[in-house]
Amino acid sequence: MEYTPPPKPQLSSRANAFSIAALMSSGSSKDKESPESTIKPLEQFVEKSSCAQPLSDLSSLDPHGDFSSSPSSLCTEPLIPTTPIIPSEEMAKISCSLETKELWDKFHELGTEMIITKSGRRMFPTIRVSFSGVDPEAKYIVLMDIVPVDNKRYRYAYHRSSWLVAGKADPPLPARLYVHPDSPFTGEQLLKQMVSFEKVKLTNNELDQHGHIILNSMHKYQPRVHIIKKKDHTASLLNLKSEEFRTFIFPETVFTAVTAYQNQLITKLKIDSNPFAKGFRDSSRLTDIER
Amino acid sequence: MEYTPPPKPQLSSRANAFSIAALMSSGSSKDKESPESTIKPLEQFVEKSSCAQPLSDLSSLDPHGDFSSSPSSLCTEPLIPTTPIIPSEEMAKISCSLETKELWDKFHELGTEMIITKSGRRMFPTIRVSFSGVDPEAKYIVLMDIVPVDNKRYRYAYHRSSWLVAGKADPPLPARLYVHPDSPFTGEQLLKQMVSFEKVKLTNNELDQHGHIILNSMHKYQPRVHIIKKKDHTASLLNLKSEEFRTFIFPETVFTAVTAYQNQLITKLKIDSNPFAKGFRDSSRLTDIER
DNA sequence: GTATTCTCACCTAGGTGGGAAGTT
DNA sequence: AACTTCCCACCTAGGTGAGAATAC
């Protein structure tokens, strides 16, 4: 039951918060303290997305609903953004697959929850993706963000073990991008190794200074993976328009942010599949007498 | 006594072995398995060094000899390489200081030893440097290597607690470069943050496949730090000639590679200053009775 | 009542030198 | 006799959910 990542070599990752400005100006900024004021809204990316699903279509709460009918973890279909933008022929070739799909599917069947804390909590399962169709000689920036699925707030009805709409969403929080810390990648690297977002952390602290992704508790979210082809001579935010984007969404990775697990089956699956929670597995807990 | 690095923000580092070819072709190769055959001899870099001390002058074994008379950890003097090469005006401005000088000095007084193992052992103390005089807008590759100080093999005379020459050096080993895994750096990053080589590992395994630095046991070595200004359009080994180099040597970081500590005072200083060895400090060891 | 925060035992992952055992 | 290898107890560093305490 414990989840062990497949043998494909992985790139390590380091926690890393980026503003678009820093990203574009240095090409590979590793500064951890990008000032909050320079972080630009997600929409700058969304408008250029080539594979972005209209998020209003993703609002099903039923864990056996729209998402579970998604046949594949490979996102290759160009979807219709509000302002349709056709990717270049070259970018259209790129595909991206979710390496951890099996485990995500198990969680998705139950209704995935992710803990958010003040200091930041990792996601489990981890988002790990592989790319194909990239140019081995080119350089790419790979990043992740997490966007609201709908405009609702939820609560969990323990007596019937299901999620209910509890009202309108809380005010939106500062949108943050998690640029994969090994960016920029060469296309050659992307073809050889999977990209793991294991170090990304989620927080409910609106004033977070660590660059973690800020979410509202009891709201439903969709992680997204973006890839940008980097041009060597682009060195400022102004050149952002000339970058080329693709956005990939894996519907089985949708989750509800919580400060404590609601569904006990989710707790059990986390304990059984996350190596760090091994101490809570039945066989290793001390009984009252042993203690 | 325990050494805590100063508060200046650090860049994390990841283990990383580079061939020059990979370094130059991708700009920032993160491939961990550079084929041995592509690793080029150190001399490609040495010939371009602007601050390389003639290593034959560094052969003193007496821990109170030449090195301790070195007045400063700031290496700014251009020294005379075999083929003198004048650094560009711009590169000549760069200076580099050893952030961990105080601790290195303590070890150097006793005669620093570094453990080498088959699987690779970290250095302690760690080499941590700060740069000044770099161009904030430029990109730099920062790397480290470790070169023999002389052509001798040594042994330790326990009864007199001193090192003796034991003969001629063993055959030289494949020279390896440790490119700092956060390379390339922007000049801006280098001015803000120190560069730490904490992840570099030393091995005595000539067939090492992990990219660790290979050393002969009972030989004396000098670590060196190199900085290369990276030009965006250079993308192959052929362009290496057009890169600009500076090399910095901190004589207080010279050490003898060993498979087990020889000088008990070195062991004691390691135990007292390396947090990972805390278990061996007097106060925390169990007596026979307690055990 | 519901949601959040905090501390804790219990893990993973991996860096230490000691010391026994092995090699040359 | 000198040197190397291997396993080990003991650390650092930090990721888990439980459950009590607190906040709203």
Side-chain angles (χ1 to χ4, degrees):
Chain A
M1 178 60 109
E2 178 172 326
Y3 180 74
T4 309
K8 186 168 183 183
Q10 292 177 42
L11 295 166
S12 69
S13 66
R14 288 162 294 154
N16 218 338
F18 284 75
S19 67
I20 295 180
L23 175 64
M24 290 301 141
S25 65
S26 77
S28 172
S29 169
K30 272 120 187 170
D31 304 346
K32 298 210 172 183
E33 307 296 342
S34 307
E36 184 72 19
S37 59
T38 66
I39 293 181
K40 294 301 182 298
L42 169 72
E43 281 58 42
Q44 289 201 239
F45 278 87
V46 178
E47 290 169 8
K48 306 212 177 308
S49 296
S50 57
C51 186
Q53 221 156 355
L55 286 172
S56 55
D57 288 358
L58 294 174
S59 59
S60 166
L61 267 179
D62 178 1
H64 297 274
D66 291 1
F67 293 154
S68 54
S69 64
S70 169
S72 164
S73 64
L74 195 64
C75 176
T76 53
E77 296 300 311
L79 302 171
I80 304 154
T82 31
T83 309
I85 292 194
I86 311 297
S88 69
E89 212 173 298
E90 184 190 349
M91 291 303 282
K93 283 183 201 153
I94 298 176
S95 69
C96 177
S97 68
L98 183 65
E99 292 283 332
T100 41
K101 175 170 169 51
E102 296 73 18
L103 188 60
W104 277 105
D105 282 343
K106 284 187 193 167
F107 277 95
H108 185 51
E109 281 174 31
L110 300 173
T112 311
E113 302 173 25
M114 295 286 172
I115 297 277
I116 56 179
T117 68
K118 204 172 159 185
S119 59
R121 198 77 148 192
R122 287 191 180 177
M123 295 175 68
F124 189 89
T126 298
I127 297 205
R128 295 182 218 262
V129 295
S130 290
F131 289 95
S132 60
V134 294
D135 171 7
E137 305 299 317
K139 282 185 183 175
Y140 298 91
I141 295 164
V142 179
L143 55 152
M144 195 185 118
D145 65 3
I146 299 180
V147 293
V149 158
D150 54 33
N151 206 31
K152 298 183 176 66
R153 183 189 169 82
Y154 295 90
R155 68 181 186 88
Y156 190 73
Y158 289 89
H159 61 291
R160 33 194 281 208
S161 298
S162 67
W163 287 95
L164 306 173
V165 173
K168 203 164 173 296
D170 294 339
L173 297 167
R176 287 197 173 161
L177 302 170
Y178 177 85
V179 177
H180 194 286
D182 289 346
S183 293
F185 294 91
T186 63
E188 192 184 358
Q189 290 176 295
L190 292 178
L191 294 171
K192 261 203 305 221
Q193 301 169 291
M194 86 167 93
V195 178
S196 168
F197 289 94
E198 62 198 357
K199 293 272 174 62
V200 70
K201 284 190 172 182
L202 313 182
T203 185
N204 57 348
N205 178 10
E206 298 184 37
L207 306 173
D208 171 78
Q209 298 298 305
H210 301 93
H212 301 151
I213 294 182
I214 308 171
L215 303 178
N216 273 318
S217 187
M218 311 309 268
H219 290 58
K220 208 167 188 179
Y221 289 99
Q222 173 64 63
R224 306 191 303 183
V225 174
H226 310 269
I227 184 168
I228 308 174
K229 184 170 179 189
K230 189 170 187 309
K231 302 203 162 95
D232 261 350
H233 54 277
T234 59
S236 100
L237 179 55
L238 299 174
N239 299 50
L240 182 57
K241 291 186 179 64
S242 68
E243 302 281 354
E244 301 196 20
F245 292 75
R246 286 291 305 272
T247 296
F248 299 94
I249 291 175
F250 305 100
E252 59 269 53
T253 61
V254 75
F255 65 86
T256 307
V258 296
T259 58
Y261 290 125
Q262 306 294 309
N263 181 346
Q264 296 182 340
L265 296 176
I266 287 290
T267 311
K268 184 166 175 11
L269 187 52
K270 295 250 185 179
I271 288 172
D272 286 342
S273 50
N274 187 337
F276 288 112
K278 195 172 274 183
F280 297 102
R281 296 184 191 169
D282 292 341
S283 57
S284 64
R285 299 261 37 195
L286 294 176
T287 64
D288 288 345
I289 296 165
E290 286 166 328
R291 189 166 31 230
Chain B
M1 180 59 111
E2 180 172 324
Y3 180 73
T4 309
K8 187 167 182 183
Q10 293 176 42
L11 295 166
S12 68
S13 66
R14 290 162 293 152
N16 219 337
F18 284 74
S19 69
I20 295 179
L23 175 64
M24 291 300 141
S25 64
S26 78
S28 171
S29 168
K30 272 119 188 167
D31 303 347
K32 300 210 171 186
E33 309 296 342
S34 305
E36 184 72 19
S37 59
T38 66
I39 294 180
K40 296 299 186 299
L42 169 72
E43 278 61 44
Q44 290 200 237
F45 278 86
V46 179
E47 290 171 10
K48 307 214 174 310
S49 297
S50 57
C51 187
Q53 222 157 353
L55 287 171
S56 55
D57 289 358
L58 295 174
S59 58
S60 167
L61 267 181
D62 178 0
H64 297 274
D66 291 0
F67 293 152
S68 54
S69 65
S70 170
S72 163
S73 64
L74 195 62
C75 175
T76 52
E77 296 298 311
L79 302 172
I80 304 155
T82 31
T83 309
I85 292 195
I86 310 298
S88 70
E89 214 174 295
E90 185 190 346
M91 292 302 282
K93 283 183 199 154
I94 299 177
S95 68
C96 177
S97 68
L98 182 66
E99 291 284 331
T100 40
K101 174 171 169 53
E102 298 71 19
L103 188 61
W104 277 105
D105 282 342
K106 283 187 194 166
F107 277 94
H108 186 51
E109 281 173 31
L110 301 174
T112 311
E113 300 173 25
M114 295 288 173
I115 297 275
I116 57 179
T117 69
K118 203 171 159 186
S119 59
R121 198 78 150 191
R122 287 191 181 177
M123 295 176 69
F124 188 90
T126 297
I127 296 204
R128 294 183 218 263
V129 295
S130 290
F131 289 95
S132 60
V134 293
D135 171 7
E137 305 300 317
K139 282 186 183 174
Y140 298 91
I141 295 164
V142 179
L143 56 152
M144 194 185 118
D145 64 3
I146 300 181
V147 293
V149 159
D150 54 34
N151 205 32
K152 298 182 177 68
R153 183 188 169 82
Y154 295 92
R155 68 183 187 88
Y156 190 73
Y158 289 89
H159 61 290
R160 33 193 283 207
S161 298
S162 68
W163 286 95
L164 306 174
V165 174
K168 202 161 172 300
D170 293 338
L173 296 167
R176 287 199 171 158
L177 301 170
Y178 178 85
V179 177
H180 194 287
D182 289 346
S183 294
F185 294 91
T186 63
E188 192 182 0
Q189 290 175 294
L190 292 179
L191 294 171
K192 258 199 311 217
Q193 301 168 291
M194 85 167 98
V195 178
S196 168
F197 289 95
E198 61 197 356
K199 293 272 174 63
V200 70
K201 285 191 172 181
L202 314 182
T203 184
N204 57 349
N205 179 10
E206 297 184 40
L207 305 174
D208 172 78
Q209 299 297 306
H210 301 93
H212 301 150
I213 294 182
I214 307 170
L215 303 178
N216 273 319
S217 185
M218 310 309 269
H219 290 58
K220 207 166 190 181
Y221 289 99
Q222 174 65 62
R224 309 190 303 183
V225 173
H226 311 268
I227 185 169
I228 308 174
K229 184 171 179 190
K230 189 171 186 310
K231 301 203 165 99
D232 260 350
H233 53 277
T234 60
S236 100
L237 179 55
L238 299 174
N239 300 49
L240 182 57
K241 292 187 178 62
S242 69
E243 301 282 353
E244 301 195 19
F245 291 75
R246 287 290 305 274
T247 296
F248 299 94
I249 291 175
F250 305 100
E252 59 271 53
T253 62
V254 75
F255 66 85
T256 307
V258 296
T259 58
Y261 291 126
Q262 305 295 311
N263 181 348
Q264 295 182 341
L265 296 176
I266 287 291
T267 310
K268 185 167 176 8
L269 187 52
K270 295 250 185 178
I271 287 173
D272 286 343
S273 49
N274 186 338
F276 288 112
K278 194 174 276 182
F280 296 101
R281 295 181 192 170
D282 291 342
S283 57
S284 63
R285 298 256 48 192
L286 293 177
T287 62
D288 288 344
I289 295 164
E290 286 165 328
R291 188 166 29 230

